[in-house]
Amino acid sequence: MKHSPANGVSLEELLSNGGCGMSESVTAVQKDTAPQSPMTDNQKAGKTTDVRGIPRRSSIIKDGSRAGRERKKTVSFSSSLTERKISSAADCISSMVEGTELRKVRSNSRVYQRYFLLESDLQALRWEPSKKELGKACIAIPSIKEVRTGRNTETFRTNGVYDQISEDCAFSIIYGETYESLDLVANSAEVANIWVTGLRYMMLYGKHALDMIASSHDSLRLAWLTEMFSSVDVSDGPCGEEEGICLRSAVGLIRKVNPGVKNGKVEQRFKELHRNKERTTGIRVTKEEFVEVFHDLCTRPEIYFLLVQFSSNKEFLDTKDLMRFLEAEQGVAQVTEDMSLELIQSHEPSEEGRRQGCLSLDGFTSYLTSLRCHLFDPEHNQVCQDMNQPLSHYFINSSHNTYLIEDQVNGPSDVNGYVRALKMGCRCVEVDVWDGPDDEPVVHTGHSLTSSVVFRCVLDVIERFAFVASEYPLILCVENHCSLGQQRVMLQHLRTILGDRLYTEPVSGGEGYLPSPFDLRGKILLKGQKLKEACGGTEGDVTDEDEGAEMKASAGAGTGAVKPATPPAAPKRFQLLKELSDLVTLCKSVRFKDFQVSFSTQKPWELCSFNEVVALCCTSESPGDFVNYNKRFLSRVYPDPMRVDSSNMNPQYLWKCGCQIVAMNYQTPGLMMDLNMAWFRQNGNCGYVLRPAIMRQEVSYFSADTRDSVPGVSPQLLHVKVISGQNLPRPRGSGAKGDVVDPYVYVEVHGIPADCAERRTRTVMHNGDNPIFDESFEFQVNLPELAMVRFVVLDDDFIGDEFIGQYTIPLECLQPGYRHLPLQSMTGEDLLHAQLFVHVAITNRRGGGKPHKRGLSVRKGKRGRQYAALRDLGVKAVDEVFKMATLPLKEATDLRENMQSSVDVFRELCGVSAAANLMQCVLALGSRVAGADGAPLLLFELRDQYPTMEPQGPLPEVLRKVVSTYEMMIQASRAVIDLSDGVYNRILQIQTTAMEFHEKLQTMAVKEGLKGRKVTRAVESFSWNITILKGQVDLLKRAKTEVQENLKQVHYAALTSDLSKGRTGQTTRPRCSLDAVHNKALTP
């Protein structure tokens, strides 16, 4: 056994990149005692590494590779910690008795490598070497008050390198009458979990721990496996005289429970057992062998550690444990014991467990992998947004050249392109119609070698599949290049095949907005050219729309063709049949000139199509104008004609400006289609997604290229922990490494520029079955309504990392808590049994925490607080109105910030993570407030509107701080409840008064002497100020709702943890529903 030097080294040398890395001196010590931790090249050289997020880079392309890496990949062997998987307290204690290298962190930014072990009599924890006397380098188990996970003590927060310590590898032991802390960092999250679980078990059962382990070890699992094993006909197979069951039956039983494991792997494991036991002739499997292989292949240690965290270190969850887990972590409201029992009956495999109302490790695994724990919120599987807004207020799922199933130049055309797109929820398809043989119009891309499909066949397919996936309107973009004769055939087909589904109601000149998707259900809208109202004949001429000609010109320029010296010719014109023109009503095609012309002349039913290059130019040069344009008018963006390979543009670049119709090449899979398909799943996959309010409100300020917080929108903090993966397949087409997979995970956030970010886990070598990552990341999201999260799993390879699977989800669809997500292939199909296990928490959500400022010493005080700033317009009367808002805006900010800051301090003193809510805070206190006689030192008085915390005797200093901080939090919460309505009404009145100037603002600005750009700036400043006022009103309303939710959680957690005054010691206690607590909180 080797030990580390006694001298401390700086923490910067030991910890880097948010992982559990070690310096070179420590690595030499670790070689024989523990698995290697992730290290960068700088760490190996003993240098300090600058810790920052990985720079944004291009994401997955078709072949799934990534290029241009800017940091060395790190590797974790932590999944192979032991040959036997940890699935019981006995396994944890056994590992602790053997001992482990841990790092001891001090507040002076020093770290000491020490060898920690549990004494064989299980009465003390000691470490060596140490400068302390032998008797002092130990902690008696009975003196331990709490074992705290994460970086959640004052030592961790103030040591100067907080961000370089992995949240998942850190833990603290709180001990002694003065609540001292021993702060430790393990080499991996699994090692930390072993120590936390074992120590908590020792705290609970003390010297009786071994007796408890002996009586409860795997009892439910063993009974179930015995029952399962006995259910097999022992006479099956050709060797009925031998003991046990045949190999095929044993493999079938294990794959029934874990269908993701391969037959060959199970058979190989049984054969290895037989070889170890020198059973070279037998092909039967005994019960003991079956149980051992089942344990190895079907045990997930990460779920075991989670189970004991909520089961008070029992080997199972009872109904109250499960209720606490559902309430505190999963964010489930109004949980009852009957609900818990129902879950147990549904998921517990053992008859004994169902009878006793207990959920074993296997039952808990079944629950966590069920649809109940899917990352995607099931509420979004149905239409859940307001569908009565104008059509221009929605993003619309759209396809480009829908008839093509390959590239844009030589690819075939096929009606199956429409079938695929419409089944996937597409609500805008394209039809490029040209003269065909036998007087039948055909569909294909002009000026290319693509094949043709008959127009009539296209309409037949559209009529059949138009409303299979969605009842909301379908937009049919018709690019008409036919002669008048074949236009008459087109007209006949449209009327005959689509009939009453065509929307042909004439528009009213006084309408300011388009109808809503709800009003247009079951209708097909034609988008195309339309003759002028004054046209009295049977036909007239209009401007030709020809995207194919654009593609041809671009392709010619790209291949070195000589450009004409003359300026480009005027747009071609062609004859349009009036009856065909009359079918176009709500989506008349018009050419875009500039925003000022459109604002003054364009009608709501007129639609402009933008080339991708032109649209991106608008997003960079006039982002505010583009957003305002899309508040009233529909805009369609089609791919750059240079994309002859049918590659896709990034739809997020256009959505951030409010562009409704972003046409995608459905035949090309990859990142861009992943984003598109995931985005439209959030509203029942109906093809319409309501845009953020700041993009719809007539008077609001939003710049699409913002790289900072959005005015009037409260940023959210997204916490993602990637825990593990299951059944990760070998990358498609990969054969160089055989069946070996070396996976790692990227977590990407896509949204406005301020929100785009990505982080990656370490690589887990040679493990695709159940790689353990255990890494946590945080992302600030400034516009949550436009953000998406993407999980990408790659196979680490020297030549080029290969794509394994991905899953993309809108932020609004995330369910908080512990969740599984299915991995999908490059083409969007689910990979059989492949999934990731993650934990998610979001600010202002049930089951998640609030944004925090890390550490008590760095939290902003009131003097450094930033208040919402209003802009001067240069129009005196309007500026005077806005100046009246300065004081109420300051009061609103102080009310919110004081409340949130007090919650932050209380959370930190409770020793929980930044992702924790107040229910989790109170539950954490429950394990800490027990006195010498076992009675709690603190109780909550719940009879008042605001729960009070009352000491039950003398308190140690740390608990006195908790009480005083709690009182500050209640005072700040009371202020929000009592004062927010008055401040809210004052701001609302100022907003109403200011809006009276809106219609005449430009006239007033001119009278004040403003000209040109100054008038425009005055209008922008007015929109900015109104947006600030609206935003602060909304934030104040949310703060009041948050306080009410916090009071409910404190009340409920006090009952759950038996800390309610007058209820301690009761074996059964009445439990209020959360709604009842909410009503009490509202009672004056």
Side-chain angles (χ1 to χ4, degrees), residues 428-445:
C428 180
V429 296
E430 289 189 39
V431 184
D432 292 357
V433 193
W434 298 78
D435 283 351
D438 303 324
D439 289 329
E440 276 291 345
V442 294
V443 175
H444 67 90
T445 301

Side-chain angles (χ1 to χ4, degrees), residues 337-380:
E337 290 197 35
D338 288 341
M339 184 185 299
S340 294
L341 278 172
E342 180 185 348
L343 287 178
I344 291 172
Q345 296 300 317
S346 300
H347 295 285
E348 173 53 39
S350 70
E351 184 178 346
E352 180 69 13
R354 293 194 297 271
R355 186 178 63 80
Q356 295 180 4
C358 299
L359 197 63
S360 66
L361 174 59
D362 299 295
F364 194 42
T365 303
S366 172
Y367 164 69
L368 288 174
T369 54
S370 69
L371 289 177
R372 296 174 188 263
C373 291
H374 198 291
L375 184 63
F376 190 89
D377 189 341
E379 290 185 6
H380 291 271

